[in-house]
Amino acid sequence: MKALLLIALFLLFVIVIKKSAFASEAELLGQPAPTFDLKNSKGELVSLNSYKGQWLVLYFYPKDDTPGCTKEACSFRDNYQSIQSLNASVVGISIDSSSSHKEFKEKYNLPFMLLADEDGEVAKKYGALNNFLIFKLAKRQSFIIDPNGTIRRVYRSVSPSEHANEIYEDLKKLQS
């Protein structure tokens, strides 16, 4: 009986999280991107305003150096020049520290910026935060932001190995 109750509570929790994510998507699409000031892997402060005038692919991911996150980061790495050719930058954000990002970037030769959202506040603004009481993780979600700072595309369901290609194709469509 207890097991059934726990399963029911878990399913209710999942449904509530999914509904809030989709409501968030509708609220964000076509709106100005939430601002941020976060430290990169060198400990330097980077803001959303640093990307004004160009397209920005902002991707949130759960944890440095885990299988899915590594696959996604390496896919962005392998497609980075193609994405850059469309006047777009790629920025990854997770709850990990700047020093963790530094190790992750060096280990996989990642050419793009990784930002540390250690308190999860930026992920929360984008509707990309899993908050399990004292344990927080960014959800694997991405956003395309146009040169004026407007969110043009929201990805709530991401395939780590295919996502960079999807981003590239959508950027081409948005720019045509």
Side-chain angles (χ1 to χ4, degrees):
M1 188 64 155
K2 286 183 182 179
L4 274 160
L5 182 60
L6 286 175
I7 291 170
L9 286 173
F10 175 76
L11 291 174
L12 181 62
F13 177 72
V14 168
I15 290 167
V16 168
I17 286 179
K18 291 255 184 218
K19 283 187 177 182
S20 68
F22 289 114
S24 221
E25 177 179 348
E27 292 170 8
L28 287 173
L29 196 59
Q31 298 300 311
T35 60
F36 58 80
D37 291 297
L38 297 172
K39 289 185 180 178
N40 66 14
S41 59
K42 297 177 183 177
E44 303 162 334
L45 209 55
V46 176
S47 73
L48 177 63
N49 288 335
S50 307
Y51 297 94
K52 278 242 189 240
Q54 62 182 302
W55 290 84
L56 176 62
V57 176
L58 192 63
Y59 85 96
F60 290 86
Y61 65 99
K63 187 105 180 96
D64 288 339
D65 213 9
T66 56
C69 297
T70 299
K71 187 179 287 188
E72 184 176 22
C74 290
S75 180
F76 274 117
R77 177 200 62 204
D78 297 344
N79 289 280
Y80 186 66
Q81 287 184 337
S82 297
I83 292 170
Q84 266 195 320
S85 74
L86 298 174
N87 188 34
S89 291
V90 174
V91 173
I93 298 178
S94 80
I95 309 297
D96 294 309
S97 67
S98 292
S99 60
S100 176
H101 286 336
K102 184 177 189 286
E103 291 173 20
F104 188 48
K105 275 181 62 78
E106 289 172 359
K107 183 175 181 179
Y108 294 101
N109 197 28
L110 304 177
F112 49 85
M113 185 100 43
L114 295 179
L115 301 178
D117 181 22
E118 293 185 61
D119 62 5
E121 287 303 310
V122 175
K124 186 177 178 182
K125 288 180 188 178
Y126 282 83
L129 181 68
N130 273 326
N131 193 353
F132 303 106
L133 302 173
I134 60 168
F135 188 67
K136 295 179 184 181
L137 283 177
K139 297 176 188 176
R140 190 179 314 282
Q141 298 181 357
S142 300
F143 304 83
I144 294 179
I145 301 168
D146 73 17
N148 298 316
T150 302
I151 296 178
R152 299 289 302 275
R153 185 79 163 84
V154 176
Y155 302 85
R156 295 294 187 195
S157 180
V158 172
S159 166
S161 58
E162 300 297 321
H163 190 48
N165 289 326
E166 179 182 26
I167 291 281
Y168 176 73
E169 292 301 323
D170 285 350
L171 273 166
K172 286 194 311 188
K173 290 175 192 170
L174 287 167
Q175 294 177 6
S176 63

